[in-house]
Amino acid sequence: MAVREVLEIGDPFLAQRAPEVDPDLIGTAEIQAAIDDIVDSMRAANGSGLAANQIGLPLRIFSVEVNKNPRYPYKPPVPLDIIVNPQLTFLSDRTFENFEGCLSVPSMRGVVTRHLEVQVNGFDRHGEPLEHVVRGYSAGTYQHEYDHLDGLLFPHRVQDSSTFCSWNSFKRYKEVAFVAQVEALVAEFGR
C-alpha cells in the first residue's frame, strides 16, 4: 500500500484509455496492491473518487468514496466502492449541471452536464460481478471517474468555457447556489 502522486492535466498518460483487467487476475497480490494504492492515494488527496490511470496505473479500475470530505463538504456520503472494468448505462435522459473539480486539474472548476441515473456494472475488488444503480448527485462522481478511464478529464466535457473558475472564485461566487442545487438533488434522490 502506498500513496502515489496524482498525475495532472497535460500528462500524456491521462489521455490514454485504460485497458481492461483480466477478471481472473483481480484476486492477485498485484491487483489487490494496486487497488489499495488507489484507495490510499484518493484518501490522502481528499478525493471523492480516483481512477487507476490518475496515479499511473494502466488498469481499468476506479474507486468512489465520500465520508465528510473537506474538499466537498456538500457531497452526500458514499461508502467505499471499487469497480473493476466498469460499464455505465444511462437510465434516463434527465441531467444536471455539475460544477466539477478534479485532483488531476488542481485549483480549477467547471460546469459539466451529467446524467442523474446510471447503472454501474463491473467487478468488485474480490472479482465478484457487481451491478448497482446510482441516482442523483452521486451519479456524476461515477461518470467523472469513468471518463478518466477513457482518457477524458472534466475540461473536455465543459461546454461553456465561461464556467471555468478557480477554487477560490467558486467558493466566493458560485458555491452557495451550487450547494442549494446539490441539496435539492439529495432531497429528491437521497444521494
Side-chain angles (χ1 to χ4, degrees), residues 60-135:
R60 204 157 182 82
I61 302 172
F62 72 73
S63 64
V64 172
E65 180 182 51
V66 180
N67 183 14
K68 299 179 183 171
N69 188 307
R71 288 181 79 227
Y72 304 104
Y74 48 83
K75 279 193 171 194
V78 177
L80 180 62
D81 199 6
I82 306 296
I83 299 119
V84 181
N85 298 341
Q87 296 178 346
L88 296 186
T89 305
F90 302 137
L91 298 178
S92 76
D93 291 332
R94 285 187 67 193
T95 60
F96 70 105
E97 300 300 304
N98 193 18
F99 232 121
E100 295 191 10
C102 180
L103 296 174
S104 292
V105 188
S107 302
M108 291 295 297
R109 306 239 16 193
V111 174
V112 178
T113 301
R114 296 293 187 187
H115 286 264
L116 278 166
E117 300 174 287
V118 296
Q119 179 173 309
V120 182
N121 292 79
F123 298 94
D124 68 14
R125 79 169 298 158
H126 306 291
E128 296 297 320
L130 67 76
E131 175 182 316
H132 53 266
V133 173
V134 183
R135 290 185 169 90

Side-chain angles (χ1 to χ4, degrees), residues 105-190:
V105 188
S107 302
M108 291 295 297
R109 306 239 16 193
V111 174
V112 178
T113 301
R114 296 293 187 187
H115 286 264
L116 278 166
E117 300 174 287
V118 296
Q119 179 173 309
V120 182
N121 292 79
F123 298 94
D124 68 14
R125 79 169 298 158
H126 306 291
E128 296 297 320
L130 67 76
E131 175 182 316
H132 53 266
V133 173
V134 183
R135 290 185 169 90
Y137 181 71
S138 297
T141 303
Y142 283 78
Q143 292 165 75
H144 177 106
E145 298 309 327
Y146 182 83
D147 277 352
H148 275 295
L149 299 178
D150 284 340
L152 297 171
L153 280 74
F154 86 83
H156 300 123
R157 295 258 188 221
V158 171
Q159 294 177 354
D160 179 357
S161 62
S162 72
T163 66
F164 281 117
C165 64
S166 70
W167 272 85
N168 290 337
S169 292
F170 169 77
K171 290 189 112 13
R172 187 176 207 176
Y173 304 111
K174 310 282 185 185
E175 186 173 43
V176 170
F178 182 66
V179 168
Q181 175 190 340
V182 171
E183 288 171 348
L185 289 173
V186 171
E188 180 178 355
F189 292 97

Side-chain angles (χ1 to χ4, degrees), residues 15-26:
Q16 299 173 25
R17 184 184 187 280
E20 277 79 11
V21 176
D22 181 338
D24 293 333
L25 299 179
I26 294 172

